């Protein structure tokens, strides 16, 4: 039975040979997508009962409408609450740092944040 040829680790500059396509043990944390491990439960990440109450307050304050869509003249139902300044960048759960967004706007903003290109998405005055 023929054995498979070994492959090179996908990490830039790493020349280690591995049995299965992807990353060597040293660089396995670079794997993304469906390889990624769970981040933990929402409560473990700081989104427990207090967050759910705060989330409801923000949605009610913004009349369950997307702040970003309203900024460009669209009316869209909001179901997500977003940190204007992400918690990973020092943002807080203060009401002034939270806004209601539709899933489309929330997904777009999250993708831009992960790429380091966040446009200014502030809350409506």
């Amino acid at each position: 039975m023929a054995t498979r040829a070994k492959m090179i680790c996908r990490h830039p500059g790493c020349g280690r040979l591995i049995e299965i396509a992807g990353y060597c043990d040293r660089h396995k944390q670079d794997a993304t997508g469906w390889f990624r491990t769970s981040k933990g439960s929402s409560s473990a990440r700081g989104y427990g009962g207090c967050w759910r109450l705060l989330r409801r307050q923000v949605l009610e304050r913004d009349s369950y409408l997307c702040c970003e869509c309203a900024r460009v003249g669209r009316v869209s139902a909001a179901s997500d609450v977003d940190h204007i300044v992400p918690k990973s960048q020092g943002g807080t759960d203060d009401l002034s740092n939270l806004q209601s967004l539709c899933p489309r706007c929330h997904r777009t903003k999250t993708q831009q944040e992960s790429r380091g290109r966040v446009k200014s998405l502030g809350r409506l005055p």
Side-chain angles (χ1 to χ4, degrees):
M1 177 178 200
T3 59
R4 281 186 128 170
K6 291 190 176 188
M7 301 180 172
I8 297 174
C9 173
R10 290 182 181 173
H11 184 83
C14 181
R16 292 184 180 180
L17 295 176
I18 53 176
E19 298 289 331
I20 300 172
Y23 296 90
C24 66
D25 288 337
R26 185 173 180 186
H27 300 110
K28 64 184 171 187
Q29 73 276 3
D30 293 347
T32 60
W34 61 273
F35 289 107
R36 191 178 337 172
T37 59
S38 172
K39 296 180 190 177
S41 69
S42 60
S43 293
R45 290 180 287 134
Y47 296 101
C50 290
W51 168 255
R52 286 188 284 276
L53 292 173
L54 192 57
R55 179 182 177 281
R56 186 179 318 140
Q57 277 183 302
V58 173
L59 288 168
E60 288 174 357
R61 177 196 68 196
D62 296 339
S63 302
Y64 289 86
L65 295 174
C66 176
C67 292
E68 181 61 18
C69 286
R71 196 174 339 292
V72 295
R74 288 189 312 253
V75 176
S76 183
S79 60
D80 299 347
V81 172
D82 172 67
H83 290 87
I84 297 167
V85 176
K87 289 176 86 172
S88 63
Q89 296 174 12
T92 66
D93 286 343
D94 188 71
L95 286 173
S96 64
N97 189 44
L98 298 172
Q99 64 183 345
S100 298
L101 294 177
C102 65
R104 178 181 171 201
C105 288
H106 193 214
R107 184 172 44 253
T108 300
K109 181 175 181 274
T110 301
Q111 288 172 346
Q112 289 172 342
E113 288 170 348
S114 69
R115 293 182 182 121
R117 300 187 315 247
V118 182
K119 63 181 180 178
S120 176
L121 288 178
R123 214 177 73 67
L124 284 176

